[in-house]
Amino acid sequence: MGHFTPAFRLLGRYNLLALSVRRLSRPSTRSAATMSPGNRSAPSIPVSAAEAVKEETHLIVGGLKIVDRWFQVPVDYSCPDGEKIRVFARSAINNKDNDGGVTGGKQPICVYLQGGPGFECSPPKSHPLTEFYLGKGYQMLYIDQRGTGLSSPIDADVWMKGCTVAEKVQRLKMLRADNIVRDCEAIRKTMLDDKEKEEERKWTVHGQSFGGFCAVTYLSFYPEGLKEVFTTGGMPPLVNNPDAVYDRTYRKLQERNAVYYRKYPQDVKAVRRIVAYLKRDPVVLPSGGTLTEGRFRDLGLAFGGHGGIDTIHRIVQRAVNDLDCYDGFTYKLKQMIESQQSFDVNPIYALLHEACYCQGEPSGWSAARRLPPSLQSSSDEDPILFTGEMIYPYMFTDYSELSKFHELADPLAYEKAWPALYDVDQLKRNEVPVFAANFIDDMYVAYDLSRETVATIQGARSFDTNVLHHNAVRAKTWAVMGELWKLRSGEVD
């Protein structure tokens, strides 16, 4: 779900108050019960090994061997001989292990599934999980999910030229977790199926946010390829559409707005002044998009991560300073705002965000339909509230690159034929070790629904805390992973 600027260092020690480890044994009673029979038990599609296209190896200062790999896989796994796309994966291996083997190393592989949907992986050296897992004896494999990064990326100007809207919608439907997981399984077979021992043919998966959703899809349909699974802020709600999710995340969003204005009470008047200015004179941003009131309020997406509230305050402070000095916005401010909003460079995030919850039902612009009155308007006395990780129709006008996908937004929002993403019956008889970090105050992933999913997955164990936020795997890596490793080792208190 949310995507944040990396935080590379964990400073000091954190007092994890209200930190608890829970093994939830009761099956889900709300979410799983609402699943239609067709979604409760869906057959998996057979997956063949991916075709290795090319490989490049280089060394990075700091003791890392990098192996870049490109694979060719079917667009549609139900038509394995049909059109193909590329999927890119990057291995990060301790430089001392330079055996030249097909996996680039002898250590067990941990696959990192990126948050999103629609984001590529960052370079291994920039992700603190690399250091953590390498220190535990693993090698890392960072896969750019199909349609992102170097994996046949989606771009308005070069993607599917000359195709109809219906054809583009069908292609976008192939970019969800079900096919992301099939890509992973195809790559696993290419890299590991020649191993002698069964355990060596399996790998570990770590899913952050949306990557955790993918990991649970993996558990549902291809558990035979998995040795163990870790999720951080990524236990998906087992629902058929996003309505129940937004009802909960809107409440968390309002709580985070309250925290913001308590910390920076002067920003109540400042934000009201900025919004009044934008209503009179919307600002053209460097990319060509328009900074409207709605787009300005979109900045609240950052509230869900460590440091996000302070980041938005600095933008508000600079905006008011610009208005004081010039009665207008400087280029620097416009650039700062654009740097916080990645919809233009990651269009899948907007196009498929609501669809990543859909199983046999349309989203119907869920976030817009479930918008609480307090976020729709405010009196002269009330603070203007920011929005969060929600997608609204106006975004396909206000964002310059996203506007090029405008004709696809409605067909995707009202599409009904979404395949199942989870097999609840399989999850109930799961045998793969699963360790989840759930954040009680998560603004993006509904905590109570995450707990229900943990309870549904047989044998899953969770670490739950109210002092860490959604991006803790980057911002406070050792605080999160240290607790998950205690679960893995069987430590209890």
PDB file of all heavy atoms in Angstrom, residues 83 85 88 115 123 238 264 341 377 380-381 389 396 406 426 443 482:
ATOM      1  N   GLU A  83       1.114 -14.370 -25.747  1.00  0.00           N
ATOM      2  CA  GLU A  83       2.044 -13.239 -25.660  1.00  0.00           C
ATOM      3  C   GLU A  83       2.876 -13.305 -24.384  1.00  0.00           C
ATOM      4  O   GLU A  83       2.403 -13.725 -23.331  1.00  0.00           O
ATOM      5  CB  GLU A  83       1.256 -11.927 -25.705  1.00  0.00           C
ATOM      6  CG  GLU A  83       2.131 -10.681 -25.743  1.00  0.00           C
ATOM      7  CD  GLU A  83       1.317  -9.404 -25.695  1.00  0.00           C
ATOM      8  OE1 GLU A  83       0.071  -9.486 -25.770  1.00  0.00           O
ATOM      9  OE2 GLU A  83       1.933  -8.319 -25.576  1.00  0.00           O
ATOM     10  N   ILE A  85       5.796 -11.306 -21.669  1.00  0.00           N
ATOM     11  CA  ILE A  85       6.370 -10.062 -21.160  1.00  0.00           C
ATOM     12  C   ILE A  85       7.635 -10.399 -20.385  1.00  0.00           C
ATOM     13  O   ILE A  85       7.899 -11.561 -20.083  1.00  0.00           O
ATOM     14  CB  ILE A  85       5.394  -9.295 -20.238  1.00  0.00           C
ATOM     15  CG1 ILE A  85       4.942 -10.201 -19.069  1.00  0.00           C
ATOM     16  CG2 ILE A  85       4.237  -8.737 -21.016  1.00  0.00           C
ATOM     17  CD1 ILE A  85       4.128  -9.478 -18.023  1.00  0.00           C
ATOM     18  N   PHE A  88      11.842  -8.646 -14.310  1.00  0.00           N
ATOM     19  CA  PHE A  88      13.216  -8.405 -13.870  1.00  0.00           C
ATOM     20  C   PHE A  88      13.365  -8.749 -12.394  1.00  0.00           C
ATOM     21  O   PHE A  88      12.478  -8.467 -11.578  1.00  0.00           O
ATOM     22  CB  PHE A  88      13.584  -6.934 -14.081  1.00  0.00           C
ATOM     23  CG  PHE A  88      14.912  -6.539 -13.509  1.00  0.00           C
ATOM     24  CD1 PHE A  88      16.090  -6.876 -14.165  1.00  0.00           C
ATOM     25  CD2 PHE A  88      14.998  -5.822 -12.323  1.00  0.00           C
ATOM     26  CE1 PHE A  88      17.326  -6.516 -13.648  1.00  0.00           C
ATOM     27  CE2 PHE A  88      16.222  -5.446 -11.800  1.00  0.00           C
ATOM     28  CZ  PHE A  88      17.395  -5.799 -12.464  1.00  0.00           C
ATOM     29  N   GLY A 115       5.852  -3.089  -1.692  1.00  0.00           N
ATOM     30  CA  GLY A 115       4.545  -2.482  -1.487  1.00  0.00           C
ATOM     31  C   GLY A 115       4.054  -1.793  -2.734  1.00  0.00           C
ATOM     32  O   GLY A 115       4.782  -1.592  -3.693  1.00  0.00           O
ATOM     33  N   PRO A 123      17.157  -0.072  -5.249  1.00  0.00           N
ATOM     34  CA  PRO A 123      18.419  -0.823  -5.252  1.00  0.00           C
ATOM     35  C   PRO A 123      18.664  -1.499  -3.908  1.00  0.00           C
ATOM     36  O   PRO A 123      18.348  -0.935  -2.856  1.00  0.00           O
ATOM     37  CB  PRO A 123      19.463   0.273  -5.528  1.00  0.00           C
ATOM     38  CG  PRO A 123      18.714   1.342  -6.247  1.00  0.00           C
ATOM     39  CD  PRO A 123      17.339   1.331  -5.653  1.00  0.00           C
ATOM     40  N   LEU A 238      -9.569 -10.272   3.967  1.00  0.00           N
ATOM     41  CA  LEU A 238     -10.167 -11.268   3.072  1.00  0.00           C
ATOM     42  C   LEU A 238     -11.573 -10.810   2.710  1.00  0.00           C
ATOM     43  O   LEU A 238     -12.575 -11.319   3.200  1.00  0.00           O
ATOM     44  CB  LEU A 238     -10.172 -12.642   3.743  1.00  0.00           C
ATOM     45  CG  LEU A 238      -8.786 -13.148   4.176  1.00  0.00           C
ATOM     46  CD1 LEU A 238      -8.907 -14.501   4.857  1.00  0.00           C
ATOM     47  CD2 LEU A 238      -7.814 -13.211   3.009  1.00  0.00           C
ATOM     48  N   TYR A 264       0.884  20.647  15.276  1.00  0.00           N
ATOM     49  CA  TYR A 264       1.119  21.934  14.607  1.00  0.00           C
ATOM     50  C   TYR A 264      -0.199  22.716  14.534  1.00  0.00           C
ATOM     51  O   TYR A 264      -0.804  22.859  13.472  1.00  0.00           O
ATOM     52  CB  TYR A 264       1.662  21.696  13.192  1.00  0.00           C
ATOM     53  CG  TYR A 264       3.013  21.018  13.162  1.00  0.00           C
ATOM     54  CD1 TYR A 264       3.157  19.708  12.714  1.00  0.00           C
ATOM     55  CD2 TYR A 264       4.154  21.699  13.598  1.00  0.00           C
ATOM     56  CE1 TYR A 264       4.403  19.089  12.696  1.00  0.00           C
ATOM     57  CE2 TYR A 264       5.402  21.080  13.578  1.00  0.00           C
ATOM     58  CZ  TYR A 264       5.517  19.773  13.122  1.00  0.00           C
ATOM     59  OH  TYR A 264       6.746  19.172  13.109  1.00  0.00           O
ATOM     60  N   GLN A 341       4.167  12.987  -4.391  1.00  0.00           N
ATOM     61  CA  GLN A 341       3.027  12.382  -5.078  1.00  0.00           C
ATOM     62  C   GLN A 341       3.516  11.606  -6.298  1.00  0.00           C
ATOM     63  O   GLN A 341       3.958  12.193  -7.285  1.00  0.00           O
ATOM     64  CB  GLN A 341       2.031  13.474  -5.489  1.00  0.00           C
ATOM     65  CG  GLN A 341       1.482  14.234  -4.275  1.00  0.00           C
ATOM     66  CD  GLN A 341       0.551  15.364  -4.630  1.00  0.00           C
ATOM     67  OE1 GLN A 341       0.722  16.041  -5.644  1.00  0.00           O
ATOM     68  NE2 GLN A 341      -0.461  15.585  -3.791  1.00  0.00           N
ATOM     69  N   SER A 377     -16.231  18.563   3.544  1.00  0.00           N
ATOM     70  CA  SER A 377     -16.304  20.010   3.710  1.00  0.00           C
ATOM     71  C   SER A 377     -15.958  20.363   5.140  1.00  0.00           C
ATOM     72  O   SER A 377     -15.903  19.496   6.017  1.00  0.00           O
ATOM     73  CB  SER A 377     -17.717  20.527   3.364  1.00  0.00           C
ATOM     74  OG  SER A 377     -18.669  19.943   4.230  1.00  0.00           O
ATOM     75  N   ASP A 380     -15.744  27.364   8.771  1.00  0.00           N
ATOM     76  CA  ASP A 380     -14.632  28.303   8.923  1.00  0.00           C
ATOM     77  C   ASP A 380     -13.842  28.032  10.200  1.00  0.00           C
ATOM     78  O   ASP A 380     -12.693  28.468  10.316  1.00  0.00           O
ATOM     79  CB  ASP A 380     -15.160  29.744   8.949  1.00  0.00           C
ATOM     80  CG  ASP A 380     -15.697  30.171   7.591  1.00  0.00           C
ATOM     81  OD1 ASP A 380     -15.332  29.525   6.587  1.00  0.00           O
ATOM     82  OD2 ASP A 380     -16.492  31.123   7.549  1.00  0.00           O
ATOM     83  N   GLU A 381     -14.434  27.312  11.141  1.00  0.00           N
ATOM     84  CA  GLU A 381     -13.755  27.042  12.397  1.00  0.00           C
ATOM     85  C   GLU A 381     -13.034  25.691  12.395  1.00  0.00           C
ATOM     86  O   GLU A 381     -12.038  25.516  13.098  1.00  0.00           O
ATOM     87  CB  GLU A 381     -14.756  27.069  13.570  1.00  0.00           C
ATOM     88  CG  GLU A 381     -15.345  28.443  13.875  1.00  0.00           C
ATOM     89  CD  GLU A 381     -16.429  28.845  12.897  1.00  0.00           C
ATOM     90  OE1 GLU A 381     -17.095  27.931  12.360  1.00  0.00           O
ATOM     91  OE2 GLU A 381     -16.602  30.051  12.659  1.00  0.00           O
ATOM     92  N   GLU A 389      -4.537   7.279   1.693  1.00  0.00           N
ATOM     93  CA  GLU A 389      -4.238   6.342   0.618  1.00  0.00           C
ATOM     94  C   GLU A 389      -5.540   5.954  -0.091  1.00  0.00           C
ATOM     95  O   GLU A 389      -5.976   4.811  -0.084  1.00  0.00           O
ATOM     96  CB  GLU A 389      -3.538   5.095   1.148  1.00  0.00           C
ATOM     97  CG  GLU A 389      -2.911   4.286   0.034  1.00  0.00           C
ATOM     98  CD  GLU A 389      -2.341   2.968   0.511  1.00  0.00           C
ATOM     99  OE1 GLU A 389      -2.926   2.342   1.409  1.00  0.00           O
ATOM    100  OE2 GLU A 389      -1.313   2.557  -0.033  1.00  0.00           O
ATOM    101  N   PHE A 396      -7.472  11.577 -12.068  1.00  0.00           N
ATOM    102  CA  PHE A 396      -7.214  11.283 -13.474  1.00  0.00           C
ATOM    103  C   PHE A 396      -7.380  12.520 -14.351  1.00  0.00           C
ATOM    104  O   PHE A 396      -7.330  12.430 -15.574  1.00  0.00           O
ATOM    105  CB  PHE A 396      -8.115  10.140 -13.935  1.00  0.00           C
ATOM    106  CG  PHE A 396      -7.740   8.823 -13.312  1.00  0.00           C
ATOM    107  CD1 PHE A 396      -8.290   8.435 -12.096  1.00  0.00           C
ATOM    108  CD2 PHE A 396      -6.813   8.002 -13.910  1.00  0.00           C
ATOM    109  CE1 PHE A 396      -7.928   7.233 -11.498  1.00  0.00           C
ATOM    110  CE2 PHE A 396      -6.436   6.798 -13.318  1.00  0.00           C
ATOM    111  CZ  PHE A 396      -6.992   6.417 -12.112  1.00  0.00           C
ATOM    112  N   HIS A 406      -7.053   8.306 -18.262  1.00  0.00           N
ATOM    113  CA  HIS A 406      -8.386   8.688 -17.798  1.00  0.00           C
ATOM    114  C   HIS A 406      -9.469   7.753 -18.319  1.00  0.00           C
ATOM    115  O   HIS A 406     -10.382   7.355 -17.584  1.00  0.00           O
ATOM    116  CB  HIS A 406      -8.678  10.134 -18.219  1.00  0.00           C
ATOM    117  CG  HIS A 406      -9.975  10.670 -17.700  1.00  0.00           C
ATOM    118  ND1 HIS A 406     -11.179  10.480 -18.353  1.00  0.00           N
ATOM    119  CD2 HIS A 406     -10.272  11.374 -16.579  1.00  0.00           C
ATOM    120  CE1 HIS A 406     -12.151  11.055 -17.660  1.00  0.00           C
ATOM    121  NE2 HIS A 406     -11.625  11.595 -16.587  1.00  0.00           N
ATOM    122  N   GLN A 426      -7.594 -23.203   1.781  1.00  0.00           N
ATOM    123  CA  GLN A 426      -6.170 -23.541   1.803  1.00  0.00           C
ATOM    124  C   GLN A 426      -5.456 -22.832   2.954  1.00  0.00           C
ATOM    125  O   GLN A 426      -4.604 -23.407   3.630  1.00  0.00           O
ATOM    126  CB  GLN A 426      -5.508 -23.172   0.471  1.00  0.00           C
ATOM    127  CG  GLN A 426      -3.994 -23.345   0.427  1.00  0.00           C
ATOM    128  CD  GLN A 426      -3.562 -24.776   0.695  1.00  0.00           C
ATOM    129  OE1 GLN A 426      -4.200 -25.716   0.255  1.00  0.00           O
ATOM    130  NE2 GLN A 426      -2.467 -24.942   1.439  1.00  0.00           N
ATOM    131  N   MET A 443      -2.521   3.341   8.984  1.00  0.00           N
ATOM    132  CA  MET A 443      -3.481   4.185   8.279  1.00  0.00           C
ATOM    133  C   MET A 443      -3.894   3.595   6.933  1.00  0.00           C
ATOM    134  O   MET A 443      -4.814   4.087   6.285  1.00  0.00           O
ATOM    135  CB  MET A 443      -2.873   5.579   8.063  1.00  0.00           C
ATOM    136  CG  MET A 443      -3.899   6.690   7.860  1.00  0.00           C
ATOM    137  SD  MET A 443      -3.131   8.320   7.664  1.00  0.00           S
ATOM    138  CE  MET A 443      -2.650   8.308   5.933  1.00  0.00           C
ATOM    139  N   GLY A 482      13.525  -7.601  14.516  1.00  0.00           N
ATOM    140  CA  GLY A 482      13.949  -8.272  15.741  1.00  0.00           C
ATOM    141  C   GLY A 482      12.802  -9.024  16.390  1.00  0.00           C
ATOM    142  O   GLY A 482      12.971 -10.158  16.872  1.00  0.00           O
TER     143      GLY A 482
END
